[in-house]
Amino acid sequence: MAGKEDKAKERREKRLQEVSLLRTIPYSDHQRWWSADTIAVVTGGNRGIGFEISRQLAAHGLTVVLTSRDEAVGQEAAKVLQEGGLNVVYHRLDVTDHASIGSFVDWLRQNYEGADVLINNAGVNFNFGSENSVENARTVVATNYYGIKNITNAMIPLMRPSAAGARIVNVSSRLGRLNGRRNRIEDLSLREKLSDLDTLNEEFIDHTVESFLQQVEEGTWSSGGWPQMYTDYSVSKLAVNAYTRVMARIMSSRPEGERISVNCYCPGWVKTAMTGWAGNVSVEEGADTGVWLALLPGQAVTGKFFAERREINF
């Protein structure tokens, strides 16, 4: 057992070194498609991964619009980055509130005429350790899945066309993988339908999520074949992953110059408030792949799922 643990530790240390090295390599001039006029919107940017993504994007020279539901905390977070010499502005945004989204979109249009990057990071989780309560399932799904849909649909008309192309990055989780060895949906037919890109659409994803929520209300979810770990969170991220693929397909069909790349990534078990500070990944490492996806040159990469800058299976 000790030998396996040592090897796992060595592999992890190697990955950390690789990520650290890649993070220190500057983008060359021909790869750098952005400038200070490039606008990146980050949801849930007041703490944790969202705050670190905001910091790293601003450090690369973009203008970052840091958003959060709690205005006082969000303003303080933006102030910290501003005092560090970074170009960060704050605006309140609750991705579960259509009025808040409308107000934000109007403000963004008036002040910046749009955005080039959208990082959908806002999310919630109410289970820690071995807990697996679904008491807050509707709130989790409303924030983690429908919240991403709400702000993405509102932002797409504001994503500015360019040769480099606009980018959307959804922060997701391996817990939402369709065919993972652990925690996957037991219903093979449902997994196949969610895997079929030719027929997959938002309506079916919504139907799947609502079926889960209905079973939660009926008290039958535990026998419904849903993931058995962090169930509500896992289902919400399963929906995010499926939605990412659907939107990537739709955005890829746009005329050249108006296309938007859409990808998702798993930051890992990051040591933040969302994991009860029990994670084993630093916030800097957790943010890295999201920033990398946002700044990739060209638009060849879309509709993919990543972790540690490597593509992984849905």
Side-chain angles (χ1 to χ4, degrees):
M1 180 66 71
K4 290 183 178 179
E5 292 179 354
D6 290 341
K7 289 182 179 179
K9 183 178 180 181
E10 289 177 6
R11 288 195 297 270
R12 171 161 176 73
E13 289 178 347
K14 184 178 179 181
R15 289 199 301 270
L16 285 171
Q17 291 171 357
E18 290 172 347
V19 170
S20 178
L21 177 61
L22 287 168
R23 191 157 51 230
T24 61
I25 299 175
Y27 289 86
S28 61
D29 290 340
H30 76 277
Q31 291 178 310
R32 188 184 176 96
W33 57 269
W34 65 91
S35 69
D37 295 325
T38 303
I39 308 300
V41 173
V42 181
T43 69
N46 57 295
R47 66 180 186 179
I49 296 171
F51 179 82
E52 181 60 19
I53 287 176
S54 298
R55 187 193 69 78
Q56 290 187 25
L57 286 173
H60 277 294
L62 288 77
T63 294
V64 173
V65 179
L66 185 156
T67 74
S68 69
R69 181 173 53 185
D70 187 321
E71 186 166 4
V73 175
Q75 287 180 338
E76 182 61 29
K79 182 179 179 182
V80 169
L81 297 177
Q82 291 164 358
E83 290 176 347
L86 300 177
N87 195 2
V88 177
V89 296
Y90 174 78
H91 196 281
R92 184 180 181 276
L93 172 63
D94 181 347
V95 297
T96 67
D97 183 340
H98 289 286
S100 176
I101 291 173
S103 176
F104 172 74
V105 166
D106 289 343
W107 172 85
L108 187 68
R109 183 184 294 110
Q110 292 172 8
N111 288 272
Y112 296 100
E113 299 182 350
D116 306 279
V117 175
L118 170 62
I119 308 288
N120 282 316
N121 166 75
V124 295
N125 172 44
F126 294 92
N127 291 319
F128 301 102
S130 59
E131 297 175 13
N132 194 35
S133 167
V134 293
E135 179 182 353
N136 299 291
R138 191 162 289 279
T139 297
V140 171
V141 169
T143 305
N144 296 1
Y145 170 54
Y146 286 117
I148 281 183
K149 283 187 59 176
N150 293 341
I151 188 60
T152 297
N153 289 334
M155 284 287 296
I156 283 175
L158 272 71
M159 300 299 280
R160 302 192 293 200
S162 68
R167 295 101 192 283
I168 297 175
V169 178
N170 298 324
V171 180
S172 190
S173 172
R174 288 184 179 92
L175 288 173
R177 293 176 69 181
L178 274 173
N179 296 300
R181 293 182 179 179
R182 299 186 305 164
N183 216 43
R184 66 185 180 188
I185 292 176
E186 293 179 7
D187 187 334
L188 178 59
S189 174
L190 179 55
R191 293 210 311 268
E192 290 177 343
K193 289 177 181 177
L194 288 168
S195 299
D196 189 347
L197 272 180
D198 292 331
T199 59
L200 185 61
N201 54 45
E202 287 186 56
E203 290 75 15
F204 185 74
I205 302 170
D206 291 354
H207 172 73
T208 301
V209 166
E210 291 303 323
S211 294
F212 164 68
L213 292 175
Q214 182 176 348
Q215 290 181 35
V216 167
E217 292 176 358
E218 295 172 349
T220 60
W221 69 271
S222 59
S223 60
W226 302 103
Q228 296 300 300
M229 293 172 53
Y230 299 91
T231 300
D232 51 8
Y233 183 81
S234 298
V235 171
S236 73
K237 294 303 185 179
L238 171 76
V240 168
N241 292 346
Y243 176 71
T244 297
R245 304 177 85 185
V246 169
M247 292 307 296
R249 183 185 66 212
I250 294 172
M251 294 297 103
S252 294
S253 66
R254 287 180 149 200
E256 191 169 349
E258 297 179 18
R259 295 171 187 167
I260 302 173
S261 66
V262 188
N263 294 288
C264 58
Y265 90 101
C266 175
W269 198 238
V270 183
K271 189 175 292 187
T272 64
M274 183 173 285
T275 64
W277 307 103
N280 57 8
V281 176
S282 72
V283 69
E284 293 83 4
E285 183 185 1
D288 177 77
T289 298
V291 174
W292 173 72
L293 282 169
L295 301 183
L296 277 177
Q299 277 193 300
V301 178
T302 189
K304 306 295 184 182
F305 190 15
F306 289 86
E308 298 166 352
R309 298 196 183 189
R310 299 178 178 88
E311 184 180 348
I312 61 176
N313 295 326
F314 281 92

